[in-house]
Each structure stands twice: as C-alpha cells, then as structure tokens.
Amino acid sequence: MELTTVWFALIAVLWVGYFCLEGFDFGVGMLLPVLARDDTERRVMINTIGPVWDGNEVWVLVAGGATFAAFPEWYATLFSGFYLPLLMILVALIVRGLSFEYRHKREEASWKARWDAAIIWGSFVPALLWGVAFANIVAGVPIDADKEFTGSLLTLLNPFGLLGGLVTLTLFATHGALFVALKTDGDIRHRARDLAVRIGSVAAVLAVLFLVWTQVRTGTPTTAVVFAAASLALVGGLVAARAGREGWAFSGTFVTIALAVAGLFLALFPDVMPSTTDPAYSLTTTNAAATAYTLKVMTWVAVVFTPIVLGYQAWTYWVFRKRISVHHIPTPVLADATR
C-alpha cells in the first residue's frame, strides 16, 4: 500500500476520533439550557466533560497538522477556501474553552449566565459548521487549474451542505444527551435519556436522507454497506436508550458517527477535494501529497507516539469513569457581607 493511501486513512481515523469524542462534548454544551434546571445541574453537566474535553480537541489539532504535512496542497486549498467557516469554528472553540475555565471564578448569576451562553454557542457553531464543511468536501467545490478555491461562503451554504450541518448538529446533540445519561444519576439522567430518544429520532431521519443523497452522488457498493451499518447502529442506539441501557445506547451513537465519517472518506477517496469546475482540477491523494521522504518520516513518528497518546487518553477516561450527581457538587461558599 502506498504511503499516500496510508496517510489518507490515518487522517480519516483522526477525524473519526475527533467527531466521536468531541461530538458528545458539543452535545453536552448545546443541551446545557435544555437539560439543566438550576446551576447545580449545569455544574453536573459541565463536570461530565470537564476532565476530557481538552484532550478530545487534540484530535482535530493532530488531524490539521497531519493534513498540512502529508497533503500540503489539500491543506492550502481547504484552509484558504473555507477560511471564514473555519475561523468561526476556531473562535467558537476558543471562547468555549475559556468558558470552562472562567465560569466558576465568580458566583454572580449574571457572570455564570454569560459564560453559559458562551459554552452553548461555542458548541453549537462547530457542531453545525463541521457538517457543512465535510459535506462540501465530499460533494466537491469549485477549484481552478491552479488548485485554488473560486467560490465564496454562499457556495458552501447549498442544500447538501446545510443538510450535512443539520445532521452533525442533531447527531452530536443525541450523542451528548446519551453521554449525560451515562455519566450522571438522578432526575437529570432520566431527562437526558428521554431527550436523546426525541432528538435522535430527528437525527435518524436527517442522517438517512443525507447518507442516501451522498450515496447517490458519490457512493460505491462499499459505502452503501457502511452507511447502512451506520443507520442500523443509530436505530439500535435509540432502542437501547428507550430500554434504559445507556451504555449500549451511547455505543450505538458512537459507532454511528464512526461509520458515517468513515463512509464519507471512502466516498471521497482517491480524491481529497473534488473540483466541480473540472474533474481534472481535483486534488487527489497523489497530486496533493508531500514527498515520499516526508511521508516516511511522519509514519515512523506516528508509530512511536500514537500508542502513547491513545494509552494516556484511555487512562483518563478510566480514571473519570464513575457517575456524578447533584450531591457531588459542593455548595459554594459565599463571601461574608459584613467584611
């Protein structure tokens, strides 16, 4: 197997990991005003992702770095053409990260409300725009002979792209609700599980429409099998949620996201960014790749460091595996008004 194909597959794996893990982070953030009835329950929800959200973001950083090193032409065209939506995602992630750090610094309700709004929007924007971006990458965008994107932001806001955004938005919300149900106890656990079934039903309809549309446009027999398996996994997850089996339900949405993203990369290969202007202008794993020496060095680096990173992240999830509830949240100590 050529190293260009190996690195295309590795980048696909990185995006699968990112969407499966960061996806439930986005879902928890978006559902903060929906599931939590008071500040204590909001703190419970935030604490479910508190130990892991920053580690989950590492996946997208590595995916971006790997794309830059392995396929520089793909990186250049993608990040210049999709500059505005990617900038919006970056700003949202920065503000969201600040929210987790600053929310607890003061006890005023107005202070917390502002940072809660930042968490909500900092989760909503990436959850929507990542779907828009990937739908357009798979469907193709206008690229000229110089490998430059010739469209605009409105080019990306087409029906197929917007449907992709709605799919990731609802699917991540379902994934996040199931994660809250899996990691909490008490009333919030039951509300999260019920909400996951309702949102998941909408996500299932949107996902089937999007995957069928993708299959018709760029699919292969292999992607048809993968997309069908993704749909079955989502249905199985919702059935498990309705039966109160949060672990199986969360596994169902996890597998759904993994298979759906893998299917999109399979539908894309051997292109990395198809051109709707002329197929001859499309970026492929061959004409967008770095030198063979660069790919060889990167492969050895990946062989050494990937097991270390995976081991550390698995250890983190194991350490923070227990459920939490409102009785685990300490009562804030208010300052003495007489001082």
Side-chain angles (χ1 to χ4, degrees):
M1 182 183 296
E2 295 183 358
L3 286 181
T4 54
T5 303
V6 170
W7 274 99
F8 180 85
L10 288 175
I11 290 172
V13 169
L14 290 171
W15 281 108
V16 167
Y18 176 65
F19 284 135
C20 287
L21 298 176
E22 189 80 323
F24 67 73
D25 287 349
F26 292 148
V28 173
M30 288 188 291
L31 296 177
L32 200 61
V34 180
L35 280 176
R37 293 179 175 174
D38 53 35
D39 182 64
T40 302
E41 290 191 345
R42 285 191 288 273
R43 291 171 67 186
V44 168
M45 291 182 64
I46 293 171
N47 284 354
T48 61
I49 60 176
V52 298
W53 70 267
D54 49 353
N56 293 341
E57 284 190 354
V58 172
W59 288 80
V60 72
L61 298 177
V62 178
T67 303
F68 172 76
F71 301 99
E73 294 287 355
W74 183 15
Y75 181 92
T77 303
L78 175 63
F79 279 78
S80 60
F82 289 44
Y83 178 80
L84 185 55
L86 291 178
L87 177 62
M88 293 171 65
I89 290 173
L90 177 61
V91 172
L93 292 178
I94 292 173
V95 172
R96 178 171 166 269
L98 289 173
S99 304
F100 291 133
E101 299 297 331
Y102 280 90
R103 184 188 186 276
H104 67 283
K105 297 298 184 181
R106 292 166 58 179
E107 289 300 326
E108 292 91 337
S110 59
W111 171 270
K112 291 184 177 181
R114 286 193 292 269
W115 288 116
D116 286 346
I119 293 174
I120 296 164
W121 286 104
S123 301
F124 177 89
V125 171
L128 176 67
L129 292 184
W130 277 131
V132 173
F134 266 83
N136 278 282
I137 291 173
V138 173
V141 291
I143 300 173
D144 62 16
D146 295 323
K147 300 179 181 178
E148 294 183 358
F149 176 77
T150 59
S152 64
L153 178 61
L154 293 179
T155 305
L156 305 178
L157 300 180
N158 55 76
F160 185 72
L162 292 174
L163 179 58
L166 291 176
V167 169
T168 52
L169 185 71
T170 54
L171 194 54
F172 289 167
T174 306
H175 200 38
L178 289 174
F179 185 75
V180 173
L182 182 65
K183 289 288 294 178
T184 62
D185 210 349
D187 291 340
I188 192 171
R189 171 187 178 184
H190 302 295
R191 294 200 303 272
R193 191 173 62 216
D194 294 340
L195 182 62
V197 174
R198 294 198 297 273
I199 300 177
S201 300
V202 177
V205 174
L206 294 174
V208 169
L209 290 174
F210 177 73
L211 295 179
V212 169
W213 196 349
T214 303
Q215 180 64 29
V216 171
R217 295 185 66 156
T218 60
T220 66
T222 301
T223 59
V225 173
V226 174
F227 290 156
S231 302
L232 291 175
L234 181 55
V235 172
L238 295 179
V239 171
R242 188 179 293 275
R245 304 293 298 273
E246 292 104 343
W248 285 107
F250 181 75
S251 299
T253 52
F254 192 100
V255 172
T256 297
I257 295 171
L259 290 176
V261 176
L264 292 180
F265 274 92
L266 287 171
L268 183 61
F269 185 80
D271 292 336
V272 294
M273 207 162 181
S275 172
T276 56
T277 305
D278 188 332
Y281 301 156
S282 296
L283 300 179
T284 69
T285 55
T286 302
N287 65 23
T291 64
Y293 179 76
T294 299
L295 295 177
K296 187 179 295 184
V297 172
M298 290 175 58
T299 302
W300 282 110
V301 172
V303 168
V304 173
F305 287 101
T306 300
I308 298 174
V309 174
L310 292 177
Y312 172 76
Q313 192 156 32
W315 176 81
T316 302
Y317 276 92
W318 175 256
V319 169
F320 295 100
R321 67 189 182 278
K322 293 184 179 180
R323 293 180 182 269
I324 62 174
S325 187
V326 292
H327 70 270
H328 292 114
I329 305 299
T331 303
V333 179
L334 301 179
D336 189 347
T338 62
R339 291 186 180 179

